[in-house]
């Protein structure tokens, strides 16, 4: 962690000083807010956590419950989400708490005795090593707790306003007001229960679930296939002779199917139990299936094994349906210059699907992360409102791809083995598509914040539009082994990773044009390093984003955090040799910060691992960890033009 830059800290350094709207934050919901978040589910809580890093933005979150969530329906945490938790500072804690999925067992009817099941496969959960983080099972309530802690400890000091529900809203686009959204809310608990009032908001983010009132209020409707297959789901404490009771399993038998997921703590597990096709005209009668019937069906499916259920923590019955809205905001006119969206919807409010791929909470969090940093950047005056259009454009496509995948996976899960193309078809599908459910197939299209792939060959392992896939490097100043992506915090800053060319930094400095006057350290390569020239441009040229968009009194790295990765080992150079742009002076004492200068590991070369050209490259990563662009080291003007399209100059 980076702290002490403003003075010695003896208490928990994760608790940042209150600032802006976080200072003396009123307990009562005010009459005007910049952002109103509706719902404290995964999307709502991550949005609040991110916006708490923008204390100048007055953000409030309302929740109709009168307190925190106690039992969450979602529990699967994909590796992409754990990467996100790392940015919010609680990945290590939640990994200690959660159940780690290492293998997945597949059980099918025994060919010699079809009434019984046998294990037919046990592939690794992440055979290809697509992430250094694990696939976890953790109660949704705990995830929300961690985000709540982050939001409360951040400068904005955001805490949920419990006991208040959304009723309706209206947007007056002609008012010219900074708060054109009139939102009617109702108190659901306490002395004011039943009372309604209207507040004004600049923007509203609807995170209020599949029956979203925010979605209804902006006229968006869900379209898609009707639910026609029912599943009973139960979290139970039980004894069992089933040998994989503590292993994730896909079970297919003559009596139906089960997706079995062990839970955290060593005893609890979840079963999604196939209840079969829902007949037409059922009128939700299947929803009345009792927990005893679900347990009985589970016992039939796992024959010759059995469950002796001792306690039911939670259970429900649901029907699989795949539905999507045509846009995730209230803007029908998407042409540049048209009125910008003011209301956004996230998660189940705009896309619903089965729970089989474990995507609901994970995709919802990426929705909330995506819109929150964009709202923060716009409302803090860093970017134009055009940035907000990219939310629906990016996330609607991601949700459509998820639904297409989930249709195939949930259909396969409900298909008897004898109707599949071959006995290992489900297992093979699980292995070959592992990257998608792990959360790593999202790829954003070219936009104002995502470049073309013109220079992709300079860094093939950091695909433009996809998440920044971390790799290990060695910190120069102290020799510590660091996962490069783990150092990026959810603080609203962009990251610029400069992968150096073959030349090592030298003590000689640079000439007036920023060229390395001593040339390369390697005598076989006398070409001056382009890194020194880039650093000089970044630090002092009026066209540099560090100069052009930095506000008076801000640190050099306040908007863009620079990191440099050299091809040499960490003992082959010293940080004073490195251009000053990569060791900025920060905080009120102007302390030099040298922990963003890295070396390459011989046995784990990041240049090799991520296909980075030995001529070097610049990789730009936006605040939510997705790669915005790859550039040559000497593409100063091109880098400048890209950031000109992202940020607004100071007025």
């Amino acid at each position: 962690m980076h702290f002490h830059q403003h003075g010695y800290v003896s208490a928990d350094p994760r608790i940042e000083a209150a600032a802006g709207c976080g200072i003396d934050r009123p307990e009562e919901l005010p009459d005007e807010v910049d952002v109103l978040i509706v719902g404290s589910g995964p999307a709502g809580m991550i949005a609040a956590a991110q916006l708490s890093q923008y204390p100048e933005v007055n953000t409030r979150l309302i929740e109709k419950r009168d307190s925190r969530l106690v039992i969450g329906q979602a529990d699967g945490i994909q590796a992409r989400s754990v990467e996100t938790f790392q940015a919010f500072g609680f990945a290590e804690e939640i990994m200690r708490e959660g159940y780690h999925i290492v293998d997945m067992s597949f059980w099918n009817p025994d060919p010699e005795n079809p009434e019984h099941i046998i294990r037919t496969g046990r592939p690794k959960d992440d055979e290809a090593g697509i992430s250094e983080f694990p696939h976890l099972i953790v109660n949704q309530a705990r995830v929300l707790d961690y985000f709540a802690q982050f939001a409360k400890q951040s400068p904005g000091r955001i805490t949920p306003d419990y006991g208040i529900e959304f009723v309706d809203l209206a947007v007056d686009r002609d008012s010219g007001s900074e708060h054109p959204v009139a939102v009617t809310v109702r108190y659901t608990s306490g002395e004011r229960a039943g009372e309604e009032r209207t507040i004004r908001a600049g923007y509203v983010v609807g995170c209020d679930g599949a029956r979203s009132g925010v979605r209804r209020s902006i006229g968006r409707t869900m379209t898609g296939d009707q639910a026609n297959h029912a599943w009973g789901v139960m979290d139970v404490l039980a004894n069992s002779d089933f040998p994989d009771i503590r292993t994730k399993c896909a079970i297919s038998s003559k009596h139906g199917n089960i997706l079995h997921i062990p839970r955290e703590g060593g005893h609890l597990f979840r079963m999604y139990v196939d209840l079969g096709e829902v007949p037409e005209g059922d009128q939700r009668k299947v929803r009345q299936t009792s927990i005893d019937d679900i347990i009985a069906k589970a016992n039939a499916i796992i024959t010759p094994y059995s469950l002796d259920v001792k306690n039911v923590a939670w259970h429900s019955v649901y029907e699989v349906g795949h539905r999507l809205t045509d846009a995730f905001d209230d803007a029908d006119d998407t042409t540049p210059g048209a009125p910008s969206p003011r209301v956004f919807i996230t998660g189940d409010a705009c896309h619903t699907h089965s729970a089989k791929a474990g995507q609901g909470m994970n995709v919802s969090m990426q929705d909330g992360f995506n819109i929150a940093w964009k709202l923060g950047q716009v409302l803090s005056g860093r970017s134009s409102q055009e940035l907000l259009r990219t939310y629906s454009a990016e996330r609607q496509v991601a949700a459509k791809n998820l639904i297409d995948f989930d249709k195939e996976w949930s259909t396969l899960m409900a298909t008897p083995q004898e109707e599949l193309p071959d006995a290992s078809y489900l297992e093979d599908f699980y292995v070959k598509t592992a990257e998608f459910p792990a959360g790593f197939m999202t790829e954003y299209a070219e936009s104002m914040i995502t470049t073309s792939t013109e220079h992709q060959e300079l860094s093939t392992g950091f695909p433009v539009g996809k998440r920044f896939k971390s790799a290990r490097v060695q910190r120069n100043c102290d020799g510590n082994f660091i996962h490069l992506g783990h150092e990026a915090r959810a603080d609203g800053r962009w990251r610029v990773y400069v992968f150096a060319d073959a030349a090592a930094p030298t003590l000689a400095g640079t000439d007036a044009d920023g060229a390395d006057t001593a040339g390369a350290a390697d005598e076989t390569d006398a070409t001056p390093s382009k890194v020194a020239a880039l650093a000089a441009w970044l630090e002092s040229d009026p066209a540099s984003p560090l100069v052009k968009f930095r506000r008076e009194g801000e640190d050099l790295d306040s908007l863009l955090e620079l990191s440099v990765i050299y091809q040499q080992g960490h003992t082959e150079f010293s940080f004073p040799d490195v251009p000053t742009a990569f060791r900025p002076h920060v905080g009120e004492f102007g302390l030099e910060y040298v922990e963003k200068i890295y070396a390459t590991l011989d046995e784990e070369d990041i240049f090799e691992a991520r296909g980075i050209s030995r001529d070097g490259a610049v990789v730009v990563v936006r605040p939510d960890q997705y790669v915005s662009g790859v550039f040559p080291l000497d593409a100063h003007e091109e880098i400048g033009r890209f950031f000109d399209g992202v940020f607004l100059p100071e007025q």
Side-chain angles (χ1 to χ4, degrees):
M1 291 182 65
H2 180 207
F3 54 97
H4 293 324
Q5 66 268 35
H6 302 299
Y8 174 67
V9 176
S10 65
D12 186 345
R14 294 172 298 178
I15 303 175
E16 301 178 87
C21 297
I23 298 174
D24 298 325
R25 185 177 185 270
E27 291 188 11
E28 178 62 38
L29 182 68
D31 292 330
E32 285 190 345
V33 298
D34 296 323
V35 178
L36 181 69
I37 301 169
V38 180
S40 65
M45 290 305 293
I46 194 174
Q50 177 64 101
L51 282 163
S52 68
Q53 290 287 309
Y54 295 88
E56 64 272 42
V57 179
N58 186 3
T59 301
R60 305 292 291 219
L61 184 156
I62 61 172
E63 167 58 56
K64 64 182 178 181
R65 288 192 317 273
D66 60 4
S67 64
R68 65 176 284 275
L69 182 70
V70 176
I71 299 177
Q73 297 182 13
D75 64 353
I77 307 295
Q78 303 294 351
R80 172 72 191 106
S81 294
V82 187
E83 290 182 350
T84 303
F85 298 161
Q86 176 68 22
F88 285 90
F90 61 85
E92 292 181 0
E93 289 99 322
I94 209 165
M95 283 192 292
R96 285 195 297 270
E97 187 174 324
Y99 171 85
H100 292 223
I101 295 178
V102 176
D103 298 335
M104 180 165 179
S105 291
F106 288 81
W107 289 75
N108 289 288
D110 183 348
E112 297 182 3
N113 183 2
E115 292 297 317
H116 291 184
I117 58 171
I118 59 171
R119 188 193 298 116
T120 56
R122 193 168 182 168
K124 296 294 182 185
D125 188 68
D126 181 7
E127 195 79 54
I130 55 180
S131 177
E132 70 280 8
F133 285 114
H135 182 181
L136 300 176
I137 302 297
V138 178
N139 181 1
Q140 173 186 336
R142 296 295 294 130
V143 175
L144 304 187
D145 287 344
Y146 280 114
F147 279 125
Q149 181 182 25
F150 181 93
K152 188 175 181 179
Q153 294 178 167
S154 294
R157 294 292 192 270
I158 297 175
T159 57
D161 291 294
Y162 289 115
I164 302 176
E165 68 177 342
F166 172 88
V167 177
D168 202 358
L169 66 76
V171 183
D172 184 357
R173 297 187 183 278
D174 299 323
S175 67
S177 169
E178 293 183 355
H179 303 92
V181 189
V183 185
T184 303
V185 300
R186 180 187 300 121
Y187 289 84
T188 60
S189 62
E191 295 180 356
R192 302 178 69 175
E195 177 186 335
E196 291 188 1
R197 59 180 287 214
T198 299
I199 65 170
R200 309 288 303 190
Y203 299 92
V204 173
V205 183
C207 312
D208 51 340
R211 297 182 178 85
S212 170
V214 176
R215 181 187 68 231
R216 181 202 67 243
S217 71
I218 61 174
R220 297 293 180 199
T221 57
M222 303 279 273
T223 58
D225 61 17
Q226 296 295 318
N228 60 3
H229 202 104
W231 295 78
V233 56
M234 58 181 181
D235 283 338
V236 298
L237 299 168
N239 291 324
S240 176
D241 58 350
F242 179 59
D244 284 346
I245 200 69
R246 296 305 297 168
T247 302
K248 182 181 178 183
C249 301
I251 304 168
S252 176
S253 87
K254 292 293 184 180
H255 303 285
N257 303 282
I258 287 175
L259 179 63
H260 171 72
I261 303 174
R263 295 287 303 269
E264 64 277 20
H267 302 285
L268 189 70
F269 59 82
R270 171 169 292 186
M271 279 187 167
Y272 292 95
V273 181
D274 181 6
L275 299 180
E277 297 293 322
V278 180
E280 288 189 27
D282 178 74
Q283 297 182 330
R284 294 197 167 192
K285 290 180 182 177
V286 71
R287 300 284 184 97
Q288 299 170 20
T289 303
S290 70
I291 182 60
D292 290 336
D293 288 341
I294 295 171
I295 294 171
K297 185 65 181 281
N299 270 299
I301 291 171
I302 67 171
T303 302
Y305 308 105
S306 63
L307 299 174
D308 179 15
V309 175
K310 302 296 187 181
N311 177 258
V312 178
W314 171 79
H315 78 282
S316 183
V317 176
Y318 71 96
E319 299 156 81
V320 176
H322 300 91
R323 299 170 72 79
L324 182 70
T325 61
D326 59 339
F328 290 6
D329 61 30
D330 66 333
D332 293 317
D333 186 351
T334 59
T335 57
S340 70
R342 289 285 176 172
V343 183
F344 308 87
I345 49 178
T346 67
D348 287 353
C350 45
H351 49 81
T352 61
H353 38 83
S354 84
K356 303 304 174 303
Q359 292 296 296
M361 174 164 54
N362 296 278
V363 175
S364 295
M365 286 189 289
Q366 294 305 315
D367 290 348
F369 200 3
N370 187 298
I371 186 56
W373 74 263
K374 293 172 181 176
L375 283 168
Q377 200 160 292
V378 168
L379 284 163
S380 59
R382 296 293 193 182
S383 295
S384 75
Q385 291 181 325
E386 289 298 313
L387 177 62
L388 302 178
R389 296 188 192 283
T390 64
Y391 167 69
S392 182
E394 290 181 340
R395 296 308 299 168
Q396 204 267 354
V397 172
K400 174 65 166 60
N401 292 339
L402 163 62
I403 286 173
D404 290 343
F405 171 83
D406 185 63
K407 281 182 179 179
E408 188 170 7
W409 174 245
S410 60
T411 298
L412 289 175
M413 280 290 302
T415 301
Q417 189 194 36
E418 63 268 19
E419 296 180 19
L420 295 173
D422 57 69
S424 64
Y425 190 85
L426 184 62
E427 178 184 344
D428 294 342
F429 181 86
Y430 176 81
V431 172
K432 75 181 181 181
T433 62
E435 191 171 354
F436 190 99
F440 299 124
M441 290 303 288
T442 298
E443 186 169 3
Y444 295 138
E446 186 175 351
S447 70
M448 66 180 286
I449 50 174
T450 305
T451 69
S452 72
T453 56
E454 178 184 357
H455 303 301
Q456 188 67 77
E457 74 281 356
L458 295 176
S459 182
T460 57
F462 292 127
V464 173
K466 297 189 76 172
R467 119 287 190 186
F468 182 83
K469 185 179 181 181
S470 183
R472 289 209 313 161
V473 290
Q474 193 165 17
R475 200 158 54 201
N476 169 256
C477 65
D478 58 14
N480 272 283
F481 298 100
I482 303 294
H483 244 290
L484 189 60
H486 296 191
E487 298 301 288
R489 293 290 179 250
D491 54 14
R493 288 188 295 175
W494 289 64
R495 267 74 199 181
V496 177
Y497 297 98
V498 176
F499 292 91
D501 47 23
T506 70
L507 286 169
T510 60
D511 62 20
D513 295 322
D516 188 342
T517 57
D522 187 345
E523 293 180 0
T524 64
D525 182 4
T527 305
S529 171
K530 294 179 180 178
V531 173
L534 173 64
W537 177 79
L538 285 169
E539 191 171 14
S540 60
D541 195 291
S544 160
L546 272 68
V547 176
K548 190 171 187 177
F549 304 115
R550 190 163 85 249
R551 294 171 176 172
E552 185 177 353
E554 288 184 335
D555 293 336
L556 184 70
D557 64 351
S558 60
L559 189 59
L560 304 175
E561 182 181 51
L562 300 181
S563 298
V564 62
I565 305 93
Y566 287 97
Q567 297 184 34
Q568 289 72 24
H570 88 285
T571 61
E572 297 178 51
F573 65 98
S574 299
F575 75 79
D577 305 343
V578 174
T580 55
F582 302 115
R583 40 191 178 97
H585 290 77
V586 299
E588 58 186 276
F589 301 111
L591 301 175
E592 188 175 35
Y593 188 48
V594 299
E595 293 197 349
K596 296 297 180 182
I597 301 166
Y598 303 102
T600 303
L601 301 172
D602 289 337
E603 70 282 5
E604 214 174 324
D605 187 337
I606 190 172
F607 284 78
E608 292 292 335
R610 297 293 175 265
I612 302 166
S613 169
R614 293 296 173 179
D615 292 329
V618 177
V619 179
V620 175
V621 179
R622 57 196 235 182
D624 58 355
Q625 304 174 311
Y626 286 86
V627 177
S628 280
V630 174
F631 303 90
L633 289 176
D634 57 2
H636 304 171
E637 290 186 9
E638 191 175 349
I639 293 170
R641 285 196 302 272
F642 169 74
F643 283 112
D644 284 348
V646 174
F647 298 123
L648 291 173
E650 277 301 284
Q651 300 299 317

